[in-house]
Short mmCIF file of all heavy atoms in Angstrom, two decimals:
data_model
loop_
_atom_site.label_atom_id
_atom_site.label_comp_id
_atom_site.label_asym_id
_atom_site.label_seq_id
_atom_site.Cartn_x
_atom_site.Cartn_y
_atom_site.Cartn_z
N SER X 114 15.88 -17.35 -4.94
CA SER X 114 17.16 -17.39 -5.51
C SER X 114 17.71 -18.82 -5.61
O SER X 114 17.32 -19.69 -4.81
CB SER X 114 18.19 -16.46 -4.82
OG SER X 114 18.27 -16.99 -3.43
N ALA X 115 18.61 -19.02 -6.60
CA ALA X 115 19.22 -20.38 -6.83
C ALA X 115 20.25 -20.61 -5.70
O ALA X 115 20.99 -19.75 -5.34
CB ALA X 115 19.79 -20.53 -8.15
N VAL X 116 20.37 -21.84 -5.30
CA VAL X 116 21.37 -22.21 -4.25
C VAL X 116 22.53 -22.89 -5.02
O VAL X 116 22.30 -23.76 -5.87
CB VAL X 116 20.82 -23.07 -3.18
CG1 VAL X 116 21.85 -23.63 -2.25
CG2 VAL X 116 19.63 -22.48 -2.45
N SER X 117 23.74 -22.37 -4.80
CA SER X 117 24.94 -23.02 -5.48
C SER X 117 26.05 -22.74 -4.51
O SER X 117 26.01 -22.12 -3.46
CB SER X 117 25.10 -22.32 -6.81
OG SER X 117 25.60 -20.97 -6.59
N GLU X 118 27.24 -23.28 -4.93
CA GLU X 118 28.51 -23.07 -4.20
C GLU X 118 28.84 -21.56 -4.07
O GLU X 118 29.34 -21.14 -3.07
CB GLU X 118 29.64 -23.80 -4.86
CG GLU X 118 29.57 -25.32 -4.71
CD GLU X 118 29.76 -25.78 -3.33
OE1 GLU X 118 30.56 -25.18 -2.47
OE2 GLU X 118 29.05 -26.78 -2.88
N ALA X 119 28.50 -20.82 -5.11
CA ALA X 119 28.78 -19.36 -5.09
C ALA X 119 27.91 -18.64 -4.10
O ALA X 119 28.38 -17.64 -3.60
CB ALA X 119 28.51 -18.81 -6.42
N THR X 120 26.70 -19.11 -3.74
CA THR X 120 25.82 -18.37 -2.88
C THR X 120 25.90 -18.98 -1.40
O THR X 120 25.23 -18.49 -0.57
CB THR X 120 24.35 -18.49 -3.28
OG1 THR X 120 23.95 -19.85 -3.40
CG2 THR X 120 24.26 -17.78 -4.58
N SER X 121 26.65 -20.07 -1.18
CA SER X 121 26.80 -20.66 0.23
C SER X 121 27.70 -19.80 1.07
O SER X 121 28.57 -19.07 0.63
CB SER X 121 27.17 -22.03 0.16
OG SER X 121 28.52 -22.11 -0.38
N GLY X 122 27.48 -19.92 2.37
CA GLY X 122 28.30 -19.21 3.32
C GLY X 122 29.68 -19.88 3.49
O GLY X 122 29.96 -20.87 3.00
N PRO X 123 30.62 -19.25 4.34
CA PRO X 123 31.91 -19.85 4.52
C PRO X 123 31.76 -21.03 5.40
O PRO X 123 30.84 -21.19 6.18
CB PRO X 123 32.58 -18.74 5.28
CG PRO X 123 31.56 -17.90 5.92
CD PRO X 123 30.38 -17.99 4.96
N PRO X 124 32.66 -22.00 5.22
CA PRO X 124 32.64 -23.27 6.02
C PRO X 124 32.89 -22.83 7.49
O PRO X 124 33.64 -21.89 7.84
CB PRO X 124 33.74 -24.03 5.42
CG PRO X 124 34.69 -23.05 4.81
CD PRO X 124 33.77 -22.04 4.32
N VAL X 125 32.22 -23.56 8.43
CA VAL X 125 32.34 -23.39 9.85
C VAL X 125 33.20 -24.59 10.36
O VAL X 125 32.77 -25.77 10.19
CB VAL X 125 30.99 -23.25 10.48
CG1 VAL X 125 31.16 -23.13 12.05
CG2 VAL X 125 30.20 -22.11 9.92
#
Side-chain angles (χ1 to χ4, degrees):
S114 61
V116 176
S117 69
E118 289 293 324
T120 61
S121 65
V125 177

